[in-house]
Amino acid sequence: MFVNDTPRKPSAQGRELVTRQSAQEGMAEQITQFDWRYSSLGPLPHWQAPLRIAVDMMLLSPFPCAVVWGAQMTVIHNDPYAALLECEGHGLGQGFDKLWASAWKSIGPWVFKALEGSSNFVESQPLWLPCKRTGSQACYAFSYTPLRDEQHEVVGFLHTVIDTSASIDSHDKWREQALAFERQIERVMADRDRIWQLSRDAMISIAQDMRLQAANPSWQRILGWKEEEVRGKPILELAHPADRAEVEVAVTEFFRDRGGEQFEARLRHKDGHYRLFRWTASFDGTLLIAVGHDISQAHEDALRQSDTLLRATQRLDAVSHLAGGMAHEMNNLLSGIGGSLELMQRRMDQGRLEHIDRYVALATDSVQRAMKLTHRLLAFSRHQPLSPRPLDINRQLTAMEPLLRQVLGAEMRVSWELDVKPWTVCLDVAQLENALVNLFVNAREACLGRGVVTLRTINKRLEAPFPDERGVPPGDYVAVYVTDDGHGMPQVDLARAFEPFFSTKPMGHCAGLGLAMVYGFVGQSGGHVWLESAPAQGLKVCMLFPRCLEHIPQEPPQPLPALTPASGQRVLLVDDEDNLRSVMKEYLQERGFDVCDVRDANSALDRFRHHGPFDLVITDIGLPGGFSGQQVARAMRMVEPDQKNLLITGFNDQPLDPQLSDMPGTALMLKPFALASLMNQALLLLGE
């Protein structure tokens, strides 16, 4: 804190400097040894940082100087200042008004101005003071510089006494030096206070007994503790139990002035959790000033990235299995389609038309199976376009009962355990039906055609994330349980049950996409699905769907497709897949439509402007050229607000634009689809 340089043997020119240094060292020692406990300032280690800095600067001054601090105006002065006082010895710890009682009438007003925040150099009212060392009198001018505490409040002032009995030139020189010294004091104090207040890192001061003395505003922002709540608390009580030994060793090394290395340690937040800091510190002889940079988020990000890499590694086998299963299934389906087409071509070349319908049926069956395979893969990947709506789960399951009983067969029994009044859920009815059909098929095969399947619904309220922080958030959910009394699954198979193409059935008996589709559908609906099973104890599929607060609308009557073909309605067909566009155009023309086809968005807009109007626009969502089918439809609606649009897509990450889906005259179809379905959907839109 104070000057402690070892003086060298002075030269003739340096004797005055050596004498001044010796005086400074002597007064610094007196201040250190003075018993401040009985003064208004309290023990020296508890002094605020601004007071300590002011004392350090005061001791370096070549002028008689004193720091006056606190409501009692307690005085701390340097050695030249003591020679001007009327009292015997020094004036440490005494009140400024008592030391200068004889001159208080003239200097009192300037003192109060300083305490109000005004800095003054009073040279118009000099005082003649005797020097106790020489006995001679000299004329002195007083300077008053306000001093502020850690809350930036004025709590004292720096009193500087300047001998003005010298020549005018010397007086001006010393006056400029005094003012420069005052500006230096103000700059140092302002910089220190600015750093302490504005630092984004936590800054604390620790006494040698390891108790926390002060903390900056960022400490409260990061850890929640107010300064008065932790002042005087041992720093080890706030450290994480696993880090206390390291903190104690590091702090001890800094107190011994052997620190300097950064170290990491966790401190307890007011709420109870811990934040990780990277600490640096410096000891000034009395207090340890420590700066902690919060690295909790970076540490958590690193752990999360490590966990992500681990999970990605664990899924490499599943991805490989998915690719192999997909290739196997598609090869089988494409082989059936290709073989049927090859035989049809061969028979037509031979002029033989018998059995052509059988080949067509084989190819059609393979196409239908490929469509189902694609839809299930989209469901698993959570990229299928859903059409969710509020519904009563009990009413919907009851409506599906005939279908579910047909799936199970005559020798299987269904036990219904439905909640009396389940909450509303928002689901895609078609995908819910598809998921339950897959689960009932699995249950029938697990029970070997004879057993009981229990279908249960119940309201569930989660108080915490389930099953962990990465799962569904707390809230209200409707649980749907499908339980069978079949052979069950071992844990090794249970862990892989949701993987695409994974199956415990013999090769060729199952594609292994049923549970994968259920997993994707439930997740895309905002819920969570898991399995509970053990060998010979059956399987329980548990699905959680979030509660919906919307009102369940009345079921509108389902429109029936027109039974007659089109009658020349104009259709603009937009798709970049040439083969598919050609097939759709030919089919629609055969059914009576006047079709104009293009392959990209720019051409579609050009045809719409120069060759319109069109009764219906059929466009793929994914188009080349930087514009999507949805953007094309919106642009056409700006020109023709009643334009009817049928959007088609094979893969869609985002829901349909509300500006389109919420308006009549818009529909969406998912590839692949039957051409007859395309025809029916077009007629439905035109009939609205």
Side-chain angles (χ1 to χ4, degrees), residues 90-149:
H90 60 72
L92 295 178
Q94 299 188 39
F96 182 81
D97 53 342
K98 295 180 180 179
L99 291 177
W100 295 97
S102 60
W104 185 253
K105 184 176 181 180
S106 60
I107 69 175
W110 300 105
V111 170
F112 293 122
K113 287 184 178 181
L115 293 177
E116 291 174 356
S118 298
S119 180
N120 299 287
F121 180 76
V122 185
E123 53 184 347
S124 60
Q125 298 178 359
L127 294 178
W128 288 90
L129 302 174
C131 179
K132 291 191 295 185
R133 296 175 181 173
T134 62
S136 61
Q137 286 194 337
C139 186
Y140 293 92
F142 288 178
S143 171
Y144 307 88
T145 304
L147 297 176
R148 301 177 183 271
D149 62 6

Side-chain angles (χ1 to χ4, degrees), residues 151-170:
Q151 285 72 40
H152 209 64
E153 298 290 333
V154 176
V155 293
F157 58 91
L158 178 68
H159 187 225
T160 305
V161 182
I162 301 174
D163 186 355
T164 60
S165 56
S167 65
I168 299 298
D169 293 338
S170 297

Side-chain angles (χ1 to χ4, degrees), residues 31 61 115 137 167 247 254 274 334 336 403 405 468 506 537 597 658 665 671:
I31 294 174
S61 174
L115 293 177
Q137 286 194 337
S167 65
V247 172
F254 278 113
Y274 287 85
L334 292 175
L403 173 63
R405 289 189 181 277
D468 52 36
Q537 295 184 13
D597 68 307
K671 297 177 183 177

Side-chain angles (χ1 to χ4, degrees), residues 189-400:
M189 297 291 291
D191 289 344
R192 183 266 169 201
D193 184 68
R194 189 179 299 111
I195 293 173
W196 184 266
Q197 296 293 330
L198 300 182
S199 173
R200 298 183 63 85
D201 294 330
M203 301 178 68
I204 56 176
S205 60
I206 305 172
Q208 296 191 45
D209 59 358
M210 291 194 179
R211 293 184 180 272
L212 195 145
Q213 299 300 316
N216 71 337
S218 288
W219 164 277
Q220 179 179 351
R221 176 180 58 82
I222 299 173
L223 289 174
W225 298 101
K226 295 181 180 179
E227 183 179 5
E228 55 268 22
E229 293 177 327
V230 294
R231 186 181 292 116
K233 182 184 291 291
I235 191 65
L236 294 181
E237 288 187 8
L238 297 176
H240 191 281
D243 298 343
R244 288 175 183 172
E246 182 180 357
V247 172
E248 184 174 9
V249 171
V251 172
T252 302
E253 289 298 310
F254 278 113
F255 279 133
R256 294 174 180 173
D257 203 19
R258 292 201 296 266
E261 295 295 331
Q262 294 183 344
F263 68 98
E264 295 180 2
R266 291 164 287 182
L267 291 186
R268 187 174 74 252
H269 192 278
K270 187 176 181 180
D271 294 339
H273 66 277
Y274 287 85
R275 306 288 296 180
L276 179 63
F277 293 85
R278 180 175 290 117
W279 293 96
T280 57
S282 176
F283 183 54
D284 63 6
T286 303
L287 291 177
L288 180 69
I289 306 299
V291 180
H293 180 63
D294 185 7
I295 60 173
S296 303
Q297 188 61 48
H299 183 69
E300 292 174 3
D301 292 342
L303 291 178
R304 190 178 298 110
Q305 183 178 9
S306 176
D307 184 63
T308 301
L309 292 175
L310 177 60
R311 290 177 178 271
T313 302
Q314 292 173 342
R315 291 182 179 179
L316 286 178
D317 289 341
V319 173
S320 176
H321 189 70
L322 170 62
M326 183 67 180
H328 174 76
E329 290 293 323
M330 292 304 297
N331 279 337
N332 289 339
L333 297 173
L334 292 175
S335 297
I337 297 171
S340 299
L341 293 176
E342 185 178 351
L343 287 173
M344 290 174 60
Q345 184 66 46
R346 183 180 180 85
R347 293 293 181 268
M348 287 188 292
D349 291 343
Q350 295 172 350
R352 300 166 53 191
L353 299 182
E354 66 272 15
H355 304 305
I356 290 294
D357 56 343
R358 184 162 63 89
Y359 302 142
V360 172
L362 289 174
T364 302
D365 179 69
S366 296
V367 170
Q368 293 295 328
R369 289 165 58 195
M371 293 169 62
K372 291 181 180 179
L373 174 65
T374 304
H375 290 164
R376 288 182 175 183
L377 285 173
L378 285 174
F380 171 74
S381 65
R382 306 186 187 186
H383 289 145
Q384 61 176 344
L386 297 182
S387 300
R389 60 183 177 85
L391 55 88
D392 183 326
I393 190 69
N394 285 0
R395 186 187 309 167
Q396 197 62 46
L397 294 178
T398 304
M400 296 179 186

